[in-house]
Amino acid sequence: MKEILTLLKEGNKPSLLAAIVNTVIAIMKAVAFFLTGNIAMFAEMLHSLGDAANQFFVYIGSALSKKAPTAKFPNGFGRVVNLVCLGAVIVVAIMSYEAVIGGWHHILNPVESSGLILNLSVLGSAIVLESFVLYKAGKEILHDAGIQKGGLAPLTISFKHLNRAKPATKLVFMEDLVATMGGVLAFVAVLFAHFFGILIAEGIASVLIGLMMFYVVGKVFLENARGAIGETDEEMLTHIAHLVAEDPDVKDIQRVEVVKEGEFLHVEVVAEVDPSHTVAYVDDIRDRLLDLILQQKGVREVLISFDEDDGVSTWKKENPPKVVKQFSSKLPK
C-alpha cells in the first residue's frame, strides 16, 4: 500500500486535476440535462463523463509507469501509460458515438428544451473550468519542452511543442481543448434555439461535439499505439549522437537508438574506441558517457557498448544512424 501511495504521488498532475474538474462538470451537466432535456447538454454531459473517466485511468497509468523494474519485468513499466491511454480512448469513443446518435435523432425530430438560464449558466461555468485545465495542461507542455513562459503562451505556443509533451499531458490538453470548443459550441446552439427558433442547432452541436471527440480518439490511439510498440525519438537521437561523437575518445559510432518508454527514454549506444586502450580506461569512457546521457531530459535507461575502431567512418553528423550494421560488442584485451 505504501508503494502504491508513493507512486500515485508521482502521477501526472494535469490528468488528476482534469479528472476532478471534469467529474464536477459532468455532474453539473447531468443535472441540467435531466431538468431541461437539452440535447446539446446531453452531448456535453457524455463528453465530460468520458473525459473524467479516462483521465482518472491515465493518472493511475502514469503513476504505475514510474514503478521501478523488477526481476519479472526487467524492462520496467514505462509503456503502461501508453496502454492505459489506449484503453481510455475506448471510453471516449463510446461517448462520441452516443453524442452523434443523440444529436442526429434530435435533428430528425427536434424538440424544444427549457431552462435557458440554467443551461447557459452550467455551460458558461464549464467553459471557464475547462479553460483553466487547458491552461494548466498547456503550461505543463511548455515545462516539458523546457520553455518558461506565462501569460497566454500556454494557450498559444503549446501547440508547437505537443510532440515533446508526456503522453498523459498531451491527452489532457487535447481532450480539454475539444471540451472547451464543445462548450462554446453548445452555448451558441442553446442561444440559437431559444432566440431564433432553430431547434436543430442543438442537434447539430451534439453531432459536431461527437465528431470532435472522435478526432481525439483517432489521434490519441495512433500516438499511443506507436508508443506501446516502441517509437524512436528522432530529435533526441540526433542530440545524443552528437554528444557521444564529441567525446575525444570516441572514434566512431556504430549505432544509436533512442526509444520512447512512456514518459521516459531508453538509450542504446555502440561506439568505437582505440583498441590500444585498457579495459579500465574504456570503463572510464563509459562512465563519462553514461553520466552525460543520463543528464539529458527524459532519459531513464542507458546501455553503452564498445567495439574497436575499424578505421571506417560510419556515423555522419548530418544523418546519425539508428542501426548501421550488425556487430558483436567487445572490449579490447
Side-chain angles (χ1 to χ4, degrees):
M1 178 61 73
K2 184 177 179 181
E3 182 185 10
I4 294 176
L5 292 176
T6 301
L7 288 173
L8 288 176
K9 289 179 181 179
E10 297 179 5
N12 185 267
K13 299 301 186 296
S15 61
L16 177 60
L17 174 64
I20 295 172
V21 170
N22 275 296
T23 299
V24 174
I25 293 174
I27 293 172
M28 293 167 52
K29 291 176 179 176
V31 172
F33 167 68
F34 287 118
L35 291 177
T36 67
N38 187 287
I39 191 62
M41 187 66 73
F42 172 72
E44 279 295 290
M45 177 192 70
L46 292 177
H47 192 174
S48 296
L49 280 174
D51 286 354
N54 69 35
Q55 284 159 357
F56 270 122
F57 283 127
V58 169
Y59 168 69
I60 295 172
S62 68
L64 293 178
S65 70
K66 294 177 174 61
K67 181 177 172 61
T70 63
K72 191 173 183 179
F73 301 99
N75 293 326
F77 300 84
R79 299 187 191 184
V80 168
V81 67
N82 296 115
L83 296 174
V84 171
C85 285
L86 286 175
V89 296
I90 296 176
V91 178
V92 183
I94 295 172
M95 299 299 182
S96 305
Y97 172 79
E98 292 296 334
V100 171
I101 294 301
W104 180 248
H105 286 165
H106 185 82
I107 292 174
L108 296 178
N109 302 287
V111 178
E112 185 176 0
S113 59
S114 59
L116 175 67
I117 301 301
L118 177 60
N119 284 327
L120 294 182
S121 299
V122 170
L123 288 173
S125 300
I127 292 170
V128 172
L129 291 172
E130 295 283 12
S131 299
F132 171 73
V133 175
L134 180 65
Y135 184 88
K136 288 291 186 182
K139 199 170 183 179
E140 186 72 14
I141 290 173
L142 295 184
H143 175 74
D144 292 342
I147 300 173
Q148 300 297 328
K149 285 188 177 182
L152 294 177
L155 298 177
T156 54
I157 66 174
S158 53
F159 293 94
K160 299 179 182 178
H161 304 283
L162 269 177
N163 290 335
R164 304 303 307 163
K166 298 173 183 176
T169 304
K170 185 186 298 185
L171 176 64
V172 171
F173 183 84
M174 292 181 61
E175 286 187 340
D176 278 279
L177 175 63
V178 171
T180 304
M181 294 170 60
V184 172
L185 194 60
F187 193 96
V188 173
V190 171
L191 291 177
F192 269 71
H194 182 80
F195 291 105
F196 300 101
I198 308 176
L199 301 182
I200 62 170
E202 295 174 359
I204 293 173
S206 181
V207 171
L208 291 177
I209 291 168
L211 293 177
M212 288 191 294
M213 292 165 68
F214 270 123
Y215 170 77
V216 172
V217 167
K219 191 165 181 62
V220 172
F221 178 84
L222 290 176
E223 290 189 2
N224 283 281
R226 293 197 299 266
I229 295 170
E231 181 182 17
T232 296
D233 189 319
E234 299 284 355
E235 184 177 337
M236 284 299 291
L237 185 149
T238 303
H239 175 64
I240 290 174
H242 275 85
L243 290 178
V244 174
E246 288 174 358
D247 189 284
D249 288 309
V250 174
K251 301 300 182 181
D252 196 9
I253 301 176
Q254 287 188 7
R255 184 174 70 141
V256 179
E257 286 187 359
V258 180
V259 179
K260 293 179 181 178
E261 297 279 356
E263 298 179 3
F264 306 104
L265 299 174
H266 173 80
V267 179
E268 291 188 24
V269 177
V270 180
E272 294 183 2
V273 295
D274 192 324
S276 65
H277 290 324
T278 64
V279 172
Y281 189 87
V282 173
D283 191 55
D284 290 338
I285 299 174
R286 184 191 62 182
D287 291 342
R288 184 169 67 239
L289 291 175
L290 190 66
D291 290 340
L292 177 63
I293 296 174
L294 282 173
Q295 290 174 12
Q296 307 309 305
K297 187 174 182 62
V299 176
R300 185 175 188 176
E301 298 177 336
V302 181
L303 177 62
I304 301 177
S305 304
F306 295 97
D307 201 353
E308 63 183 9
D309 183 17
D310 58 8
V312 178
S313 180
T314 299
W315 182 77
K316 304 296 182 183
K317 289 186 177 181
E318 296 79 12
N319 186 27
K322 299 175 190 175
V323 178
V324 178
K325 61 180 180 180
Q326 297 295 323
F327 63 91
S328 58
S329 182
K330 55 182 177 290
L331 290 173
K333 297 180 180 179

